[in-house]
Amino acid sequence: MSHRTEGVNTERQSMIAQKMLTTNKRQKTENISGKTIAMICAGLLVIVVLSITYFIASKGLSTFFVDGVSFKEFLTHDKWDPEGEPSAYGVLPFILGSFFVTALAALIAAPLGIGAAIFMTEIFPGFGKKVLKPVIELLVGIPSVVYGYVGLTLLVPFIREQFDVLGFSLLAGGLVLALMILPTITSVAADAIEAVPQDLRNASLALGATRWQTIWNVVLHSALPGCLTAIVLGMSRAFGEALAVQMVIGNTTKLPGGLLEPISTLTSGITLNMGNTIQGTPYNNALWSMALLLLAMSFIFIVILRLLGRKRLAK
Amino acid sequence: MKKLSKMFIALTCVGALLAGCGSGNTAQTQTQTPAPAQQPAQEQSNSGSTTKTSGEPVTAVGSTALQPLVEQAAKDFMAKNAGAQIQVQGGGSGTGLSQVASGAATIGNSDIFAEEKKGIPANELVDHKVAVVGMAAAVSPQVKVDNLSKQQLIDIFTGKITNWKEVGGDDMKITLVNRPKSSGTRATFSKFALDGKEEAEGITEDSSGTVRKIIAETPGAIGYLALSYFNDSVKALKLDGVEANAENIATNKYPVWAYEHMYTKGEATGDAKAFLDFILTDEVQKKTVTELGFLPITDMKVERDAEGKVTQK
């Protein structure tokens, strides 16, 4: 009897062992196939990013190596006339236009966005989360062409009547962009402020600090890297925006002369001319060089974001 | 509710598929394998239209100004010739010319001569002029000036004259509205209205609709538009006392006009040739071309080459 049970037991054991072995095998193949799929996806992504960079770089650099435009002239001259005789390839007006309009947008949107973030998280959290946050997120979903058209129809005539100028201006571009990047800044800053540990607030209040002192010295101070991240994210969006800006800045290719003067940006220069130029001509290549500049700027923005992120982690 | 909407989507998909199959089938029976019994009937139906279609897809890419005309003509052509496939895309004259030169498109639509663009092998391309477009200086109706001499117009666009009172209007600052440097409209206007003089910097917009909006809303603004874009909100100026209309353009009395070109690489063949011939028929020239604000190429009494030399027809 005991012998028989023993036999059954060993049989059962071997069966279990076999079953475990087979599942292991299946798990193994699943593991391998899963890994390969994930790796193919990651590899594809890397290849796409690299090939886009390579493509833009090869087109953009041929302005300097094939067409013989000097790098210094490209970056520092203010005369842009690629079809003239002699042709001139100074993109300084576009570069300065892009920087000024981005800086103006950040100057307007940063205080507003961080202020709204403080209101949403510290002062009126219930209303902020239920009403303000969804409303601000709604702003993200509005297509940029709508912002541009509203700017063209309302903002430009408003500026024209108020200041007795053309209306198409750096100011109009800055205001439209500020509205566009406000939601980005607000929601990222709000997340950063929310992540500040409650203990810090309690300790500050227990030490006798007022609510304002706590927000200003403790909460904002600890959330500073996060708030900076929010601003840089907003700026990188503003720098790359083409359509909304193009509709309200006037696209006059000259050095920015003031808040109320028309300007052009790198993006508007590209979109206005790309369809009309012939591939492979110096004019077309110069536009690619401008695209390369935009790409380089977005890399710089990403590096800044990484550095800010590291700073936050170190804390 | 969810189920219902899912079912609806599925149904539309199936419907679209069936429709696709249906048209594909008819095209096949008509072009490739006509059954003996059907042949006489088919010959009869074909005798009405200009040519037999090969069914090869034809792509026409380029000028956005010409696009509405080509689209309408393609629609009419395909309605007449079952099996013909003509796709029309925008992208700009430069795109059209480079696409047709590289062989990516069958037809390249352009507002300017291929010879005028650097980097295009113009000798490989065959020009088909399909229509004429007139252009005029445009101002808002508030501006009291109706006529400018050519010299006045040049002085305004080169920035020498900056106030309307200098040309007999009210005391109002002049604002220039330009096209991008690479634009075909700008090239034409600068060549024939400004004698090739370099324009001063001003507001720059690409689309005719936006240019019209800006001219209409900005006091004292001046720009230029194709004749088809004029409406009550903007006013066309006479040039040297000559009005920009079909009659004056046909005789070149009013010189600011351009051909609309459809280029092919080498001589056009097959459906592309049939389509280009169709556009030159009276049916398209007298109806679609005029309706869309162009001038029929067949009405022109003069001819102009790429260098701008005008000869009587």
Side-chain angles (χ1 to χ4, degrees), chain B:
Chain B
M1 196 58 208
K2 223 175 177 182
K3 250 186 189 166
L4 257 177
S5 64
K6 261 187 193 166
M7 253 170 74
F8 180 71
I9 291 170
L11 272 176
T12 7
C13 287
V14 171
L17 260 174
L18 282 177
C21 289
S23 65
N25 281 343
T26 46
Q28 240 175 15
T29 47
Q30 283 192 356
T31 51
Q32 286 170 0
T33 51
Q38 282 177 324
Q39 217 159 9
Q42 206 206 343
E43 265 165 15
Q44 243 176 14
S45 76
N46 258 356
S47 64
S49 68
T50 43
T51 31
K52 259 190 186 171
T53 58
S54 63
E56 269 172 56
V58 173
T59 45
V61 183
S63 160
T64 44
L66 183 54
Q67 197 178 355
L69 172 59
V70 182
E71 264 170 5
Q72 186 56 45
K75 223 166 110 189
D76 295 345
F77 183 73
M78 285 188 283
K80 276 195 167 18
N81 303 278
Q85 286 178 50
I86 293 170
Q87 287 169 358
V88 184
Q89 290 163 25
S93 298
T95 309
L97 287 172
S98 28
Q99 295 268 29
V100 72
S102 71
T106 335
I107 298 173
N109 301 333
S110 171
D111 303 335
I112 55 170
F113 281 99
E115 287 86 350
E116 291 178 83
K117 277 272 180 202
K118 283 184 207 163
I120 287 293
N123 51 342
E124 287 175 26
L125 300 179
V126 178
D127 189 6
H128 306 269
K129 304 187 185 82
V130 294
V132 166
V133 60
M135 288 164 206
V139 294
S140 75
Q142 294 172 308
V143 173
K144 296 282 181 309
V145 179
D146 290 316
N147 174 44
L148 286 175
S149 74
K150 199 174 208 178
Q151 193 53 47
Q152 285 173 327
L153 197 66
I154 291 174
D155 287 347
I156 285 174
F157 271 96
T158 50
K160 255 189 223 155
I161 292 178
T162 53
N163 196 306
W164 282 109
K165 70 180 176 194
E166 292 174 63
V167 289
D170 295 339
D171 183 4
M172 199 192 284
K173 208 174 151 262
I174 296 177
T175 300
L176 298 181
V177 185
N178 271 337
R179 300 304 179 90
K181 283 224 165 81
S182 54
S183 143
T185 310
R186 176 165 171 159
T188 305
F189 189 77
S190 150
K191 194 169 179 181
F192 298 109
L194 307 178
D195 287 342
K197 298 280 188 309
E198 175 71 14
E199 289 163 72
E201 276 301 335
I203 300 287
T204 309
E205 288 296 341
D206 196 20
S207 92
S208 298
T210 315
V211 169
R212 183 174 62 196
K213 187 172 157 70
I214 292 172
I215 294 173
E217 289 174 2
T218 313
I222 182 168
Y224 37 91
L225 286 169
L227 291 184
S228 50
Y229 277 93
F230 281 93
N231 61 9
D232 291 342
S233 68
V234 288
K235 184 170 76 171
L237 291 184
K238 285 183 204 158
L239 182 63
D240 284 328
V242 181
E243 200 183 323
N245 58 25
E247 226 170 286
N248 291 334
I249 287 171
T251 55
N252 198 40
K253 213 173 149 202
Y254 182 86
V256 194
W257 53 271
Y259 289 114
E260 292 292 358
H261 309 263
M262 291 174 78
Y263 279 99
T264 49
K265 193 175 188 178
E267 286 297 336
T269 51
D271 279 5
K273 184 173 179 357
F275 179 52
L276 288 167
D277 288 343
F278 173 70
I279 292 186
L280 290 178
T281 57
D282 268 1
E283 183 192 344
V284 177
Q285 291 286 323
K286 293 273 183 275
K287 201 168 141 269
T288 319
V289 167
T290 330
E291 271 169 13
L292 291 170
F294 297 95
L295 307 166
I297 189 89
T298 43
D299 282 5
M300 290 304 286
K301 298 193 173 64
V302 293
E303 234 172 314
R304 193 160 69 189
D305 62 12
E307 272 91 52
K309 232 175 78 193
V310 177
T311 45
Q312 294 293 325
K313 240 184 193 174

Side-chain angles (χ1 to χ4, degrees), chain A residues 79-85 87 149 152-153 157 160 166 168 246-254 262 271-279 281 283, chain B residues 91-98 111 116-120 173 175-176 180-184 198 201-207 210 213-214 217-219:
Chain A
K79 192 163 170 10
W80 169 255
D81 191 8
E83 287 197 329
E85 297 283 342
S87 46
Y149 209 62
L152 180 64
T153 317
R160 181 165 61 224
L166 219 50
F168 296 92
Q246 187 203 310
M247 292 170 91
V248 298
I249 57 172
N251 310 306
T252 305
T253 318
K254 59 171 196 196
T271 51
L272 282 180
N273 291 301
M274 204 46 124
N276 290 326
T277 55
I278 309 292
Q279 277 189 22
T281 55
Y283 198 156
Chain B
S93 298
T95 309
L97 287 172
S98 28
D111 303 335
E116 291 178 83
K117 277 272 180 202
K118 283 184 207 163
I120 287 293
K173 208 174 151 262
T175 300
L176 298 181
K181 283 224 165 81
S182 54
S183 143
E198 175 71 14
E201 276 301 335
I203 300 287
T204 309
E205 288 296 341
D206 196 20
S207 92
T210 315
K213 187 172 157 70
I214 292 172
E217 289 174 2
T218 313

Side-chain angles (χ1 to χ4, degrees), chain A residues 19-283:
Chain A
K19 214 174 185 183
M20 275 175 74
L21 208 69
T22 48
T23 37
N24 270 351
K25 238 183 208 164
R26 218 182 63 208
Q27 276 175 342
K28 225 178 188 174
T29 49
E30 263 176 10
N31 258 344
I32 289 173
S33 59
K35 254 186 200 162
T36 8
I37 290 174
M39 255 169 63
I40 289 172
C41 292
L44 262 180
L45 214 67
V46 172
I47 290 171
V48 166
V49 170
L50 283 182
S51 48
I52 287 180
T53 313
Y54 170 78
F55 180 70
I56 296 179
S58 68
K59 283 257 190 191
L61 290 177
S62 57
T63 306
F64 311 113
F65 297 122
V66 180
D67 306 324
V69 178
S70 94
F71 195 62
K72 207 180 137 210
E73 184 204 324
F74 188 75
L75 287 183
T76 56
H77 280 210
D78 63 348
K79 192 163 170 10
W80 169 255
D81 191 8
E83 287 197 329
E85 297 283 342
S87 46
Y89 294 95
V91 297
L92 191 65
F94 298 105
I95 299 176
L96 286 184
S98 276
F99 272 105
F100 283 178
V101 83
T102 305
L104 182 67
L107 272 179
I108 299 168
L112 283 176
I114 293 175
I118 291 173
F119 179 81
M120 262 163 51
T121 49
E122 300 292 313
I123 297 174
F124 216 153
F127 173 78
K129 264 195 206 118
K130 273 204 197 99
V131 182
L132 207 55
K133 203 161 187 207
V135 167
I136 284 173
E137 275 160 5
L138 208 67
L139 280 178
V140 185
I142 299 177
S144 61
V145 63
V146 176
Y147 280 110
Y149 209 62
V150 170
L152 180 64
T153 317
L154 298 178
L155 196 59
V156 170
F158 178 76
I159 293 176
R160 181 165 61 224
E161 276 150 32
Q162 291 305 306
F163 301 102
D164 197 25
V165 287
L166 219 50
F168 296 92
S169 55
L170 174 57
L171 181 65
L175 284 172
V176 166
L177 277 183
L179 195 64
M180 279 186 70
I181 64 175
L182 191 63
T184 314
I185 295 185
T186 310
S187 51
V188 177
D191 289 343
I193 291 171
E194 257 181 359
V196 173
Q198 192 57 37
D199 295 348
L200 283 179
R201 293 188 187 89
N202 293 344
S204 168
L205 291 171
L207 283 170
T210 62
R211 197 182 183 191
W212 171 245
Q213 284 169 329
T214 306
I215 290 174
W216 185 251
N217 293 322
V218 178
V219 176
L220 264 191
H221 190 79
S222 350
L224 190 63
C227 291
L228 286 177
T229 307
I231 296 170
V232 176
L233 261 180
M235 282 174 80
S236 73
R237 190 177 172 203
F239 201 82
E241 173 55 39
L243 204 55
V245 179
Q246 187 203 310
M247 292 170 91
V248 298
I249 57 172
N251 310 306
T252 305
T253 318
K254 59 171 196 196
L255 293 176
L259 265 186
L260 299 171
E261 296 279 312
I263 55 162
S264 15
T265 62
L266 286 169
T267 46
S268 75
I270 296 174
T271 51
L272 282 180
N273 291 301
M274 204 46 124
N276 290 326
T277 55
I278 309 292
Q279 277 189 22
T281 55
Y283 198 156

